[in-house]
Amino acid sequence: MLRKLAAIILAASLSLPMISAADAAPKKDFKICWSIYVGWMPWGYLSDSGIMKKWAEKNGINVEITRINDYVESINQYTAGGFDGCSMTNMDALSIPAGGGVDTTAVIIGDFSNGNDAVILKDKAALADIAGQKVNLVELSVSHYLLARALDTVKLAEKDITVVNTSDADMVAAYGTSDVTSVVTWNPLVSEIVAMPGAHKVFDSSQIPGEIIDMMVVNTETLKDNPALGKALAGAWYEAMDLMSSDTPEGKAAKEEMAKASGTDLAGFDAQLASTAMFFDPAKAVEFTNGTELPKTMDLVRNFLFSHGILGTNATSVDVVGMSFPDGSTLGDAKNVKLRFDPAFMAEAATATP
Amino acid sequence: MINAKVSRGSALFLGGLPFLFVAIVYLIASAQRLAVNPSDKLLPSPAQMWSAFLDLATVPDRRSGDLILWVDTYASLLRLFAGVGVATFAALSLGIAIGFIPRVRAFLLPFVTVVCVIPPLALLPILFIALGLGETAKITLIAVGVAPVMVRDIANRVMELPSELVAKAQTLGGNSWTMVLRLVLPQVMPRLITCVRLALGPAWLFLIAAEAIASTEGLGYRIFLVRRYLSMDVILPYVAWITLLAVITDWLLVRLSQAMSPWAHPLEAR
């Protein structure tokens, strides 16, 4: 009886459905995901307005856009192979999918944070006053990176402060309690906290422009086999960018919809856009991607990730994950390039736009 | 069927089967994913998990210089035992008072019954705002989470004490206080330990929920932190570690109960 049981178990486990990574063969249906952030709101609008559908059909494919409530979860889903593309920052793209061996290409550089992320002190007005304080932030996020860069500017190190990991959902309430004296967070939380008594914004991402980059990344193999996906995404995205930057009633209506989806009104959304350097013009995004600053930024980012152990426990050097840039240069292990910056689809959109 | 005796050896084998099955399923799935992508983070191999675990236990952290596993374990166990300790004390004092003294019962039982049905996690935001983000709020959450059920249970157990026992104690000249010490306390001790064993499961849940919100160290904190970069090679061993700690605590409590009240464990005594 026992032998029979063992045989059944063995047979059952061998016939398990094959769990495999994203299929790279040419296909027609694609899924991308995004989460709430001022620079990514257009993705929701593209889906609701039918613009994405139009561009997908134009390229002979289907693209389904899904909003995921939790940012980290959306990246994890993409990394696990559940989505073909996802919106994320340069830092998270390097640490999570690329660090996890999922070859990833940044097809659209949407914007960079230009004040959206900030270090806020309670009742103190100078960044140097942060020494010795407990700092509440979402640990290992871009907030943590911003803090590290901020500390550099006043010759402090992370050991001079205590980092308290705090969920972004609780950040505003946490600031209201008496034992929280400094926080690092992002918009719309920043504007909410700065409006509270005693809050002083002592450092923000406009002091490190271009380092916190928001982009749309796609699985490299999927993209290689299906360039139509890149074309459809870039085409749709820049149609929305044109609309948003145009001074027309349609543009205003589009922004109003995005504002509503992010839980604010047009004025609030415009205020957030003001601290976001949106690349409305694809040519500007291409120029940024081709620029000499990007490799320098990514070098800072990868050193931050490595020194915090975020490149994985098996990462023995900062070079373990390779990156490639539009001019063909690489950073890190050239034999293990997992994050690629490819301006081709943005460039195509730039020439197509009159 | 129901009369078949299970020998010790086959009981061990049968008991091990589900574990073996889960392990085999995991190994196959992990090997498949790693074959496609050697640096896949979702289903790490046992060797990867073991080396990550060893690193956490023996290699000082690059940033803080701490041995992370022990710092986390110490912080979490301290919170857990503080919270459960407060709850146990409340269960013992309030439970006996409610169960044994009619006036206290009339005064407190309705309140405890209502508090019992409030989901503690719903109180979490209130606790954090009222008590700040420090240790107090975390320990309070655990205590508030498990105490009401324990109080009710002990009160019920005291109320179930045979009235003959109480009558006999009174004829022997016992007053309320000596009866609490000599009659009620020994009677409820084994039940109290069972209560603590049952409360430890929810207590872990509240501990991890509290640590997920705001912390600088702790087992739940670490799991939620490394989730940010999909470090399953840390998360899975941590879950196993928590399981091990929970099993050991439970085993120790059973031993304690057997030592303190052997009469309550006639089956094991054989």
Side-chain angles (χ1 to χ4, degrees), chain B residues 20-232:
Chain B
L20 191 70
F21 180 71
V22 172
I24 291 176
V25 169
Y26 182 86
L27 284 178
I28 293 175
S30 163
Q32 273 176 0
R33 278 194 77 99
L34 288 172
V36 178
N37 169 12
S39 34
D40 178 63
K41 285 187 166 184
L42 206 62
L43 303 178
S45 71
Q48 285 171 324
M49 285 192 271
W50 179 242
S51 84
F53 188 72
L54 273 188
D55 272 3
L56 290 168
T58 58
V59 180
D61 181 46
R62 264 189 279 249
R63 264 192 302 155
S64 56
D66 292 330
L67 294 175
I68 284 176
L69 178 74
W70 308 113
V71 170
D72 285 346
T73 307
Y74 178 72
S76 284
L77 288 182
L78 212 59
R79 289 170 189 144
L80 188 80
F81 291 151
V84 174
V86 170
T88 308
F89 180 72
L92 201 59
S93 48
L94 285 178
I96 290 180
I98 291 173
F100 207 55
I101 307 168
R103 275 209 192 87
V104 179
R105 188 183 316 154
F107 172 55
L108 279 179
L109 191 60
F111 182 70
V112 171
T113 312
V114 170
V115 170
C116 225
V117 295
I118 302 174
L121 285 183
L123 294 176
L124 189 56
I126 304 175
L127 288 181
F128 271 120
I129 291 164
L131 302 173
L133 296 167
E135 295 300 299
T136 326
K138 294 183 190 88
I139 293 169
T140 309
L141 176 72
I142 298 171
V144 166
V146 296
V149 184
M150 292 172 73
V151 172
R152 270 184 89 183
D153 197 57
I154 295 300
N156 281 333
R157 180 77 189 83
V158 174
M159 283 188 270
E160 281 167 9
L161 284 179
S163 51
E164 295 87 343
L165 269 182
V166 181
K168 182 165 265 178
Q170 274 175 322
T171 56
L172 288 171
N175 61 28
S176 300
W177 179 240
T178 48
M179 279 194 290
V180 165
L181 284 184
R182 305 284 296 273
L183 170 68
V184 181
L185 208 54
Q187 286 282 324
V188 295
M189 268 335 258
R191 183 64 210 173
L192 183 73
I193 292 177
T194 309
C195 250
V196 173
R197 286 177 62 197
L198 291 174
L200 275 170
W204 275 102
L205 169 74
F206 298 131
L207 171 75
I208 287 168
E211 287 182 342
I213 288 204
S215 303
T216 50
E217 75 280 294
L219 296 166
Y221 156 81
R222 191 73 49 198
I223 287 179
F224 278 87
L225 180 65
V226 301
R227 168 180 170 266
R228 265 206 80 84
Y229 48 100
L230 205 69
S231 232
M232 293 301 262

Side-chain angles (χ1 to χ4, degrees), chain A:
Chain A
M1 195 268 199
L2 288 181
R3 201 174 296 166
K4 212 191 281 171
L5 203 62
I8 291 171
I9 289 171
L10 195 66
S13 47
L14 286 177
S15 61
L16 267 184
M18 297 287 217
I19 303 170
S20 57
D23 210 329
K27 55 181 194 170
K28 283 197 100 59
D29 298 305
F30 299 92
K31 287 164 70 184
I32 66 162
C33 59
W34 68 285
S35 53
I36 288 232
Y37 172 70
V38 50
W40 295 326
M41 296 316 290
W43 289 112
Y45 178 75
L46 287 176
S47 163
D48 296 340
S49 63
I51 297 178
M52 187 69 247
K53 192 165 184 287
K54 187 179 89 188
W55 281 88
E57 276 167 7
K58 209 168 168 176
N59 287 283
I61 56 172
N62 297 313
V63 177
E64 188 191 324
I65 299 180
T66 309
R67 180 182 132 188
I68 295 189
N69 263 335
D70 184 314
Y71 171 58
V72 178
E73 195 51 42
S74 72
I75 305 177
N76 287 351
Q77 289 287 328
Y78 162 78
T79 308
F83 288 93
D84 303 297
C86 187
S87 60
M88 62 187 77
T89 67
N90 54 330
M91 180 177 133
D92 293 312
L94 179 60
S95 64
I96 308 175
V102 176
D103 198 329
T104 293
T105 301
V107 287
I108 297 172
I109 304 278
D111 68 273
F112 61 78
S113 170
N114 199 18
N116 266 332
D117 301 77
V119 182
I120 302 168
L121 295 189
K122 199 188 269 177
D123 304 327
K124 296 266 170 55
L127 176 58
D129 294 333
I130 204 169
Q133 294 207 29
K134 280 188 180 172
V135 184
N136 293 71
L137 49 80
V138 178
E139 222 177 318
L140 311 180
S141 69
V142 287
S143 294
H144 204 157
Y145 173 77
L146 179 81
L147 175 68
R149 297 282 287 135
L151 291 174
D152 275 350
T153 65
V154 287
K155 300 279 176 292
L156 287 170
E158 216 181 305
K159 63 175 191 314
D160 300 321
I161 51 150
T162 309
V163 167
V164 182
N165 186 41
T166 308
S167 149
D168 50 318
D170 300 297
M171 201 61 83
V172 178
Y175 182 82
T177 65
S178 57
D179 50 348
V180 172
T181 54
S182 59
V183 300
V184 188
T185 188
W186 56 82
N187 257 328
L189 308 175
V190 168
S191 48
E192 233 167 289
I193 293 174
V194 166
M196 290 162 87
H200 296 275
K201 199 200 276 189
V202 291
F203 191 87
D204 71 38
S205 53
S206 66
Q207 283 156 274
I208 51 163
E211 290 189 23
I212 299 174
I213 307 165
D214 304 301
M215 43 202 210
M216 171 53 69
V217 307
V218 174
N219 184 295
T220 302
E221 278 177 56
T222 309
L223 186 66
K224 207 187 285 169
D225 295 333
N226 309 277
L229 175 62
K231 286 181 195 169
L233 290 177
W237 177 261
Y238 288 107
E239 183 173 333
M241 289 300 110
D242 276 349
L243 201 57
M244 278 175 83
S245 55
S246 74
D247 223 354
T248 60
E250 293 83 16
K252 198 176 157 222
K255 280 205 283 185
E256 252 166 4
E257 235 177 89
M258 292 179 214
K260 218 169 99 190
S262 54
T264 177
D265 55 9
L266 187 58
F269 190 64
D270 274 334
Q272 291 179 32
L273 276 177
S275 48
T276 313
M278 290 295 288
F279 291 117
F280 290 115
D281 178 0
K284 287 273 174 4
V286 172
E287 193 188 306
F288 179 82
T289 315
N290 287 332
T292 52
E293 288 302 315
L294 186 61
K296 285 181 201 158
T297 297
M298 292 315 293
D299 193 38
L300 284 170
V301 168
R302 72 184 187 133
N303 276 299
F304 170 82
L305 293 175
F306 180 70
S307 66
H308 285 77
I310 315 182
L311 281 179
T313 34
N314 49 354
T316 47
S317 105
V318 69
D319 287 323
V320 66
V321 184
M323 284 175 270
S324 74
F325 298 94
D327 61 359
S329 67
T330 58
L331 199 56
D333 187 351
K335 289 192 203 70
N336 185 36
V337 172
K338 293 294 180 196
L339 181 61
R340 301 159 200 273
F341 290 91
D342 180 3
F345 297 99
M346 294 186 287
E348 201 171 315
T351 51
T353 321

